[in-house]
Amino acid sequence: MGLTVFNRRALRPAVGDGRVMNEPHRGFWPVLGGIRFLLAMWVLFDHTYNVGPAERAIPVLTKSGLMAVMCFFVISGFSIHHSIATRPDGYLRRRFLRIFPLNALAVVIGWVAWSVLGASGGYLVPSEPPTAWQFIGCMLLLEAFLPIMISFLYPAWSLSIEAVYYLLAPPFKKLEGRPHIPAIMIASGLFFVAWPLFRNEYVAGRNSYWLTAIVMLWAWLAGWVAYKQPRDRRYLVLLGIAGLAAVATQARFFDVRNFGSAAVNCVAWIGTLVVVFYRIGDVGGRTAAVFDYLGEISFPLYILHYPVLFAVAGSLFRVYPNLNWGVTHVVIALGAAMLAYHWVDKPLRLSPGTGLSPRVADQFGRLRLWANGFAFSRRVMRTGVPGSSKVSRIELTR
């Protein structure tokens, strides 16, 4: 028997022969992580115009993050197809732990800023006071079904839609090899391109996210198909044309004002498609570690930056308005994202089973000790300790 030598191309037979190895190489995932971070920063830079004076915001080529969200959906569809194809057991639990804790944290931050700090003046303030039911609905990601969006939680509109797509992944998996998915993509894509003919409003209008979920499904399915059928030029070309057509028909929603704003939208869309269909990029070592980390904090950065900046704008920036600069927004948002990742997202997602790992339990135990110690120290300062003029360190941390 002769010795057969395989190279990377040999391990990837042509699409359609039934033997396509869909598992991307390890060095590709950090590349996707780096792209997710760039897209999150794109949205953050755009939103600096909503939280402070325009002349202090981060200079950008386009003030719309719609294309960034579309590219997010493409990467999400690719990643979700990989997740359910390689590890179907525990799929819904993993998705729940990925999105619910950080979304709940975002809602809590927004509620504290509104109800406790009284951040009722300044930027991102709702036109009408949000109700308790709105906060509960946003906590449960019901924006895709009910008109409950709160202005300082606005980025969650795409998360509520993505949660619906997560639930659709199992039936989509059963439809593989059938014409249903291409038909759904065509219908959704045509509706998206023709959107201005039906509704004269932003495609992510605050009271119609169920409709937005339908017309943007094709972008998520683009990533889904890219995982199943890598290097398929037919899909790549058709999806590329559909995206460019959408930018043309909805130029105002993508904030296309000149060549630069048009170019950044088109390059982002085509570039994302090419990367996921051809799986471009293979990094390792420290570069992979950095890209992985940036990818991990991209979700907390995206979902938390609005409520965090709303809280800061209604408190710190009120007292010190000279600090209200776009650069300050970026620093605060990145800091909040890193803290949330290390203290909430990473511990919950990486803990084994349904409970918390010993390390996580120890972290939350320390938080409880610090909270108890802080409360005890305040009580001591107000009333003193009977029978003693000193307070031991043990008492302050029990």
Side-chain angles (χ1 to χ4, degrees):
M1 181 183 296
L3 178 63
T4 303
V5 180
F6 295 94
N7 55 28
R8 181 174 296 170
R9 185 178 296 275
L11 287 173
R12 294 182 182 179
V15 174
D17 66 359
R19 299 183 295 109
V20 177
M21 296 186 66
N22 297 316
E23 178 71 19
H25 48 87
R26 181 179 298 179
F28 176 66
W29 294 109
V31 174
L32 287 186
I35 295 175
R36 286 201 308 268
F37 178 76
L38 291 178
L39 296 174
M41 291 297 290
W42 178 346
V43 174
L44 173 59
F45 286 177
D46 287 340
H47 286 169
T48 60
Y49 287 84
N50 300 340
V51 191
E55 62 273 13
R56 296 183 180 182
I58 301 293
V60 293
L61 291 174
T62 170
K63 296 179 183 178
S64 170
L66 180 58
M67 180 56 71
V69 173
M70 289 180 62
C71 294
F72 267 132
F73 282 160
V74 173
I75 296 175
S76 172
F78 185 92
S79 303
I80 294 305
H81 198 160
H82 169 78
S83 177
I84 198 170
T86 58
R87 290 196 299 158
D89 294 340
Y91 164 75
L92 290 177
R93 176 183 176 275
R94 294 195 304 273
R95 292 302 94 205
F96 176 85
L97 290 177
R98 184 67 174 114
I99 65 174
F100 183 79
L102 286 178
N103 178 68
L105 178 61
V107 174
V108 168
I109 292 174
W111 177 82
V112 169
W114 176 263
S115 302
V116 179
L117 300 181
S120 58
Y123 300 92
L124 307 182
V125 177
S127 56
E128 297 181 0
T131 65
W133 290 114
Q134 282 181 277
F135 281 109
I136 294 173
C138 289
M139 180 82 72
L140 299 176
L141 288 171
L142 297 179
E143 296 96 328
F145 305 100
L146 301 173
I148 56 174
M149 177 56 70
I150 302 173
S151 60
F152 49 78
L153 300 176
Y154 180 63
W157 73 266
S158 63
L159 181 60
S160 67
I161 291 176
E162 196 164 4
V164 175
Y165 296 164
Y166 291 165
L167 295 176
L168 292 175
F172 281 150
K173 188 71 174 64
K174 296 180 180 179
L175 292 176
E176 286 183 349
R178 302 180 183 181
H180 299 77
I181 290 181
I184 293 172
M185 292 179 67
I186 292 173
S188 174
L190 288 176
F191 197 177
F192 186 85
V193 172
W195 177 269
L197 301 178
F198 298 94
R199 299 178 74 96
N200 186 28
E201 65 176 14
Y202 184 49
V203 71
R206 292 182 179 177
N207 293 319
S208 57
Y209 293 116
W210 63 272
L211 190 56
T212 306
I214 295 174
V215 302
M216 296 194 75
L217 178 58
W218 69 285
W220 190 82
L221 286 175
W224 180 274
V225 171
Y227 181 83
K228 180 64 176 179
Q229 299 181 231
R231 302 175 182 271
D232 191 319
R233 295 181 181 178
R234 298 165 300 176
Y235 273 109
L236 178 60
V237 171
L238 291 175
L239 288 167
I241 293 174
L244 299 183
V247 172
T249 60
Q250 303 184 55
R252 59 182 177 134
F253 299 148
F254 288 98
D255 192 38
V256 175
R257 294 170 285 105
N258 48 41
F259 176 80
S261 55
V264 70
N265 281 287
C266 296
V267 169
W269 177 249
I270 299 298
T272 302
L273 289 178
V274 171
V275 168
V276 296
F277 269 96
Y278 282 86
R279 304 179 182 187
I280 297 175
D282 187 357
V283 298
R286 293 183 178 179
T287 302
V290 172
F291 283 11
D292 276 332
Y293 182 76
L294 294 178
E296 291 290 353
I297 68 172
S298 62
F299 176 56
L301 177 64
Y302 177 80
I303 197 65
L304 292 178
H305 75 276
Y306 236 44
V308 166
L309 293 179
F310 169 68
V312 174
S315 55
L316 179 65
F317 292 164
R318 272 188 184 179
V319 182
Y320 302 101
N322 290 333
L323 294 178
N324 193 354
W325 287 80
V327 175
T328 311
H329 304 164
V330 173
V331 172
I332 292 174
L334 284 172
M338 287 187 285
L339 288 174
Y341 169 67
H342 286 287
W343 287 95
V344 178
D345 185 37
K346 182 179 178 181
L348 290 177
R349 287 196 295 125
L350 299 185
S351 60
T354 57
L356 299 177
S357 65
R359 180 182 176 185
V360 177
D362 180 64
Q363 289 176 341
F364 281 99
R366 290 185 180 182
L367 284 176
R368 186 177 67 253
L369 288 175
W370 292 340
N372 291 341
F374 178 72
F376 182 77
S377 63
R378 290 190 62 186
R379 186 166 65 251
V380 168
M381 287 186 290
R382 290 197 307 266
T383 63
V385 178
S388 175
S389 59
K390 297 181 179 180
V391 180
S392 70
R393 183 177 180 181
I394 295 178
E395 287 292 333
L396 290 175
T397 56
R398 184 169 56 189

